[in-house]
Amino acid sequence: MLNLVLFGAPGSGKGTQSEKIIDKYGLHHISTGEVLRKNIKEGTELGKIADEYISKGHLIPDSLMVDILRQELKGLPKTTKGVIFDGFPRTIPQAQELETILAEMGESLTGVLGLEVAEDELVERMLKRGAETGRADDNIDTIQNRLKVYHEQTEPLKAHYQGKGSYIAINGIGNVDEIFSNIANEIDGRVK
Ligand code: AMP
């Protein structure tokens, strides 16, 4: 299987590029943020808990996120060609759990695609998305918290994956198709 993590700060284009990767490579998309937003919309117990964290720009506790991930992986069709992990892992313990879970499935990560985008551009993109889609956590106060949390808890994953030789830096600034073409070149180089 082709198992890729799409890594990057909030607003770096993970959702946009995931869609294009799925189209080209026929992968299964697991977006933990989308799972949580769906639960909030449906008013489930998980949704109520998640809303408390998301509205403040905080991360949901690792144990809860790992349960969600296991659940999502259980639902994978047997014939799947692979998975794109979008928004997971976001902490070192989540990365370690992901490795364990994949190993239990007889799988491993093919690579970690890191979308690299300057901070001022991230803020601009999220404000634009908030205005266009009404996404609740795309407001300036929550955005600033999310970026702080990203630097403190998620960015250390870059060094973690660099140490394993699996981090692939992608310039996340510019035209969506150009960025995707760089991603596709990296994926093709890894699978051949
Ligand atoms: P996203 O759609 O990936 O930007 O996620 C939106 C929000 O959901 C984040 O700001 C977090 O509050 C929460 N979230 C999503 N994925 C995770 C995760 N792997 N660990 C903790 N919180 C998460």
Side-chain angles (χ1 to χ4, degrees), residues 78-143:
K78 290 272 177 286
T79 53
T80 191
K81 290 183 185 158
V83 180
I84 178 115
F85 296 94
D86 164 5
F88 191 102
R90 263 181 157 95
T91 64
I92 298 279
Q94 288 183 15
Q96 289 163 339
E97 285 287 346
L98 179 60
E99 278 155 43
T100 306
I101 296 169
L102 287 174
E104 282 167 15
M105 296 166 62
E107 291 291 332
S108 61
L109 270 186
T110 314
V112 176
L113 298 157
L115 287 170
E116 305 197 338
V117 177
E119 187 119 347
D120 51 350
E121 168 103 9
L122 294 171
V123 175
E124 206 177 294
R125 286 187 192 177
M126 283 187 274
L127 287 174
K128 186 164 176 266
R129 182 173 62 188
E132 285 171 1
T133 67
R135 182 168 150 171
D137 57 349
D138 281 339
N139 65 76
I140 191 67
D141 289 341
T142 313
I143 287 171

Side-chain angles (χ1 to χ4, degrees):
M1 273 164 58
L2 183 60
N3 299 312
L4 300 166
V5 168
L6 197 52
F7 179 80
S12 59
K14 299 190 294 292
T16 305
Q17 294 297 332
S18 285
E19 281 177 25
K20 298 181 86 66
I21 297 171
I22 292 153
D23 275 356
K24 182 168 164 96
Y25 296 95
L27 303 182
H28 189 89
H29 186 206
I30 297 183
S31 159
T32 44
E34 270 175 26
V35 172
L36 297 168
R37 279 189 290 279
K38 184 164 178 276
N39 275 273
I40 293 174
K41 207 169 158 199
E42 291 169 356
T44 65
E45 275 311 304
L46 169 62
K48 284 177 199 151
I49 299 168
D51 197 23
E52 295 277 314
Y53 291 93
I54 293 183
S55 59
K56 296 190 185 90
H58 295 164
L59 295 185
I60 277 78
D62 287 339
S63 58
L64 200 52
M65 290 313 304
V66 170
D67 286 348
I68 292 170
L69 187 81
R70 280 192 183 272
Q71 207 54 41
E72 289 295 306
L73 284 169
K74 252 193 212 161
L76 273 188
K78 290 272 177 286
T79 53
T80 191
K81 290 183 185 158
V83 180
I84 178 115
F85 296 94
D86 164 5
F88 191 102
R90 263 181 157 95
T91 64
I92 298 279
Q94 288 183 15
Q96 289 163 339
E97 285 287 346
L98 179 60
E99 278 155 43
T100 306
I101 296 169
L102 287 174
E104 282 167 15
M105 296 166 62
E107 291 291 332
S108 61
L109 270 186
T110 314
V112 176
L113 298 157
L115 287 170
E116 305 197 338
V117 177
E119 187 119 347
D120 51 350
E121 168 103 9
L122 294 171
V123 175
E124 206 177 294
R125 286 187 192 177
M126 283 187 274
L127 287 174
K128 186 164 176 266
R129 182 173 62 188
E132 285 171 1
T133 67
R135 182 168 150 171
D137 57 349
D138 281 339
N139 65 76
I140 191 67
D141 289 341
T142 313
I143 287 171
Q144 269 156 1
N145 268 330
R146 286 158 69 200
L147 288 171
K148 185 168 177 281
V149 165
Y150 170 76
H151 291 307
E152 287 172 3
Q153 300 190 55
T154 307
E155 212 171 18
L157 285 174
K158 179 173 168 177
H160 172 83
Y161 285 123
Q162 278 172 329
K164 290 176 176 287
S166 48
Y167 186 82
I168 305 157
I170 304 285
N171 176 10
I173 298 216
N175 177 292
V176 171
D177 290 326
E178 268 167 26
I179 298 168
F180 177 64
S181 154
N182 291 336
I183 291 177
N185 283 340
E186 292 290 351
I187 296 177
D188 294 343
R190 295 241 157 182
V191 292
K192 266 174 207 152

